[in-house]
Amino acid sequence: MTIAVSILPEQRLAALNAAYRQAVARKRLRLFAGAMLSIAALILAAIGAEVNLRTLFTYFGNFVSYFDRILTLDSGQRVWTDPGEWLWGWYKWLKLLGETLLISYVGTLIGAVCAFGLNFFAAENTSPAPWLRFLVRRLLEFARTVPGIVFALIFVMAFGLGPMAGVLAIAIHSTGALGKLFAEIVENADMKPVEGVRSTGASWLSCMRFAVLPQVSAGYVSYALLRFEINVRESSVMGFVGAGGIGQELVVAIRKFYYSDVSAILLMIVVTIFIIDITTGWLRARLFGRDARS
Amino acid sequence: MKELERPDTAALRTKYPDAFERPAAARLATPAMIAAALAVLIFGLHDLGFEPAKFIAGLHQLGWITLMMIPPDPGTSLPLYLRALGETLSIALLGTTLAATLALPVSLLAARNIVPPNIIRFPVRRFLDSIRGVDTLIWALVWINVVGLGPFAGVLAIMVSDFGALGKLFSEAIEAADKKQVEGIRASGGNALHEIRFGLMPQVLPVIAGQVLYFIESNTRSASIIGIVGAGGIGLQLAEQIRVLEWQKVSFLVLMILVAVAAIDFISGKLRFAIIGRRAVA
């Protein structure tokens, strides 16, 4: 069986082909210009960041051998051949890891409570006044754009060395991040219950309590748990600036070249983070079903 | 006015016992959870050394610091700060691009629809997870040991820590891609590489581009702090000025970071929507 494919007249075909080529050429030109622009930006960035490939190639061996060194004990053996010697400070490190976890827990909780207090003012549909919304939004933006560790540095100056500065830094950063997410949940909430409650003559506070809160609380908890995961990671470096937790011990080990200690502490941090990730993931799945994981 | 009919509460109560008398376990669950959370909080506050006196003294001090920050003033070091900011932006841009370039091939290995055997995928994923578990600042310290102080260490730190995050995100994007295009390529006789190049990449690249832009944005933030450990950029200046208590310069630097982040946010938001259209990036 043959199928007749109608062939267009020569002239028309040529016109179509020309149009096609032109369209493709324009697209290619745009792509080319975009690529050139980004390459130029990258070259500029490479100059700005003092990238030196020679250094990298000369010292790349160092990077590999760094891992070789941190996986070697003072006696010259591999770390895993003598776990007792490798994890000699496990008791002290576990205590510091506990402190790290506690810092992120307390910080996240305080931050979540503050975000909870502020988010109804930041959401478009529940805010009592536009100027208040603007103010709260800017405040939250400020709190989440300034990196947590910068707050920690400043708080260490104000509150002295110790975990208090770390907790407050994490709390402020979490307030900013969670406040925005919470407000977004509220903006997605169904407004009909609010109208229902308001029609009974209830105050703004009762509207929030009986119409909005029941819809949004599950989302709040889910986001707060996610934030906790992130904060565990962040509080592991709070010690770098003297704000408590395991970071202090790690930075000392790295700076003083206690190689096997570096790998031991890193191992403990990574394992802790794994456990926290898995636990909160499981908790979220149990509380809200698999849909809430986003 | 007509009186409303009183509902027959007793009959309703016998009909729907759960609505009137919820079981004790269900009623107590929420208060119990809140009480437990509060107990851990109080223990934490005690254990971390929160004392009201210390807290109030600190707040007092903080008030002074805030007062001394006004007005923000760079003094005579404005050119130096602008250079540092440029360095920070360079670190973010370069680090993210390198991370994306490295993460793309590895993410193929971590995607279920490309590499079915679990025996390869599982170690690759755990590898990416462990890289992600280590904070950027820690990577910066490691790289400082390798290439010395300076922004280059910062680029490498951002590159490595983002490699973990982007690898995971890319592999998720690849797993979410439509299988039909790939099957079409296979049906017309393409090999595995053709399938990836012509069936998968056209679907995945816009998503990936959006994610990379988003990461450049968030890395401007990370890059502004890795200077605190000596890996270049504006963080170095910031940490120094905090240590020598030059609060006016500190507030100026913080403002610079805020403005830079807002500008990058704006630009990359525009670019992102230009690439993927008006859709939210997952």
Side-chain angles (χ1 to χ4, degrees), chain B:
Chain B
M1 210 166 103
K2 208 180 113 189
E3 188 102 345
L4 280 175
E5 226 176 288
R6 288 239 157 246
D8 185 359
T9 327
L12 284 173
R13 196 182 283 271
T14 45
K15 209 168 164 192
Y16 306 105
D18 275 5
F20 285 89
E21 302 245 345
R22 287 168 67 211
R27 268 189 296 172
L28 284 178
T30 314
M33 269 185 338
I34 293 175
L38 277 182
V40 178
L41 176 73
I42 289 166
F43 167 73
L45 287 176
H46 174 74
D47 194 62
L48 298 173
F50 270 73
E51 288 152 26
K54 201 176 148 199
F55 185 66
I56 289 167
L59 276 186
H60 192 70
Q61 186 79 13
L62 197 62
W64 271 115
I65 290 175
T66 320
L67 275 184
M68 281 193 285
M69 280 185 176
I70 303 169
D73 178 21
T76 53
S77 6
L78 185 62
L80 182 68
Y81 292 168
L82 285 177
R83 259 199 66 155
L85 188 65
E87 221 171 81
T88 293
L89 294 180
S90 308
I91 292 172
L93 182 63
L94 211 58
T96 319
T97 317
L98 288 175
T101 321
L102 290 179
L104 191 57
V106 176
S107 66
L108 290 174
L109 289 181
R112 188 187 306 264
N113 47 355
I114 304 289
V115 181
N118 217 338
I119 209 155
I120 300 174
R121 215 174 59 234
F122 184 79
V124 172
R125 293 213 149 177
R126 290 296 85 77
F127 173 65
L128 291 175
D129 281 350
S130 6
I131 289 183
R132 229 154 22 94
V134 177
D135 196 272
T136 317
L137 276 183
I138 300 176
W139 281 116
L141 277 174
V142 170
W143 278 109
I144 286 172
N145 273 342
V146 177
V147 296
L149 291 169
F152 191 31
V155 172
L156 296 168
I158 296 258
M159 176 186 91
V160 173
S161 68
D162 271 22
F163 171 70
L166 286 173
K168 179 190 149 79
L169 283 176
F170 288 179
S171 71
E172 274 164 12
I174 292 169
E175 280 179 359
D178 197 346
K179 251 167 61 184
K180 296 203 187 80
Q181 281 90 320
V182 177
E183 279 165 10
I185 305 286
R186 190 177 307 154
S188 63
N191 64 23
L193 274 181
H194 288 141
E195 280 168 28
I196 291 173
R197 165 65 187 84
F198 296 104
L200 202 68
M201 281 302 141
Q203 292 184 60
V204 173
L205 275 180
V207 181
I208 285 182
Q211 279 165 348
V212 170
L213 279 170
Y214 180 75
F215 262 75
I216 291 179
E217 217 174 290
S218 75
N219 275 337
T220 317
R221 247 161 282 193
S222 325
S224 68
I225 57 165
I226 51 178
I228 287 173
V229 297
I234 204 162
L236 182 66
Q237 305 293 335
L238 190 63
E240 252 170 35
Q241 298 312 321
I242 289 177
R243 290 207 179 105
V244 297
L245 309 177
E246 288 272 7
W247 295 111
Q248 290 187 323
K249 290 187 179 173
V250 171
S251 58
F252 187 80
L253 284 166
V254 170
L255 273 183
M256 275 176 88
I257 295 177
L258 286 179
V259 171
V261 170
I264 298 275
D265 257 15
F266 179 76
I267 297 170
S268 81
K270 289 261 172 225
L271 276 177
R272 208 156 72 216
F273 288 129
I275 291 173
I276 59 165
R278 283 246 152 222
R279 244 182 311 140
V281 181

